[in-house]
Amino acid sequence: MIDTHSHINMIEGLSLDEVIKNAQEYGVEKIILPSAYPKDIDEVMEITSKYDNVYGLLGVHPSEVKDWTDDLIDKIKEYSKSPKIAGIGEIGLDYYWDKSFNDLQKEVFIKQIKLANELDLPISIHDREAHKDTFEILKEHNKDSKIIMHCFSGSVEFARECVKEGWYLALGGVVTFKNAIKMKEVAQDIPLNKLLLETDAPYLTPVPYRGKENQPAYTKFVAEEIAKLRGITFEEVDKITTENALKVFSKISE
């Protein structure tokens, strides 16, 4: 398995060594660590340099774009020369908490899309309560970068529109929640060749550990739930999602 989106630098109850060890014991071979804050960018480089099976994404989360400066473009360009930087992310739009700076979110989102295109890197998308704008901006501004809809939260209909564009959908712990009917429908409906696994640790911990801090090891429970929903084996989900991750994040397969 590959955990395609895990903030292991934010896990408080375990050391990084423990996080990595637990992941390997549960069959998670590789972990992709996204940046969210500008300050994360240096930390991602440091962590990915230390651990062989951890790769990074560089970018600024939509909720943090007030701290964006264009100097970050040159820093990301330089750091992206590393074989351990697998993409740009997590970037996008988030209208859930504060709609007062939506225009700034869009402006910075577009800048980071163009940067990913220039670097020929895939993009991990954060889209919360902003499906229409996210979709339209990606359609207009993304050229050739592969798109991963991180922690997908849309309907089956929206999932189908994303798949039509060739985008990948990453599902995490929410799919294990009893009342997450919409996510269970998405997990059953989307083509397996467009599915990725993630935890978004330390958030959105899957059953049976819901309410506790999440970690990459728990990718296993996401895969098990998807297998159950689709009526296929865990091994099939593991194999296909791993192949998908290696395809979309080409640097992690080098």
Side-chain angles (χ1 to χ4, degrees), residues 15-48:
S15 69
L16 283 172
D17 286 348
E18 289 171 322
V19 168
I20 304 299
K21 182 172 180 287
N22 291 349
Q24 291 173 332
E25 287 178 356
Y26 274 68
V28 178
E29 295 175 2
K30 297 183 181 185
I31 300 162
I32 300 179
L33 164 62
S35 57
Y37 304 90
K39 66 177 178 59
D40 285 346
I41 291 172
D42 291 322
E43 191 172 12
V44 166
M45 288 303 301
E46 183 182 333
I47 293 170
T48 58

Side-chain angles (χ1 to χ4, degrees), residues 187-200:
Q188 290 172 311
D189 188 82
I190 63 172
L192 274 176
N193 67 351
K194 292 298 177 186
L195 176 65
L196 297 170
L197 303 176
E198 65 165 61
T199 59
D200 202 20

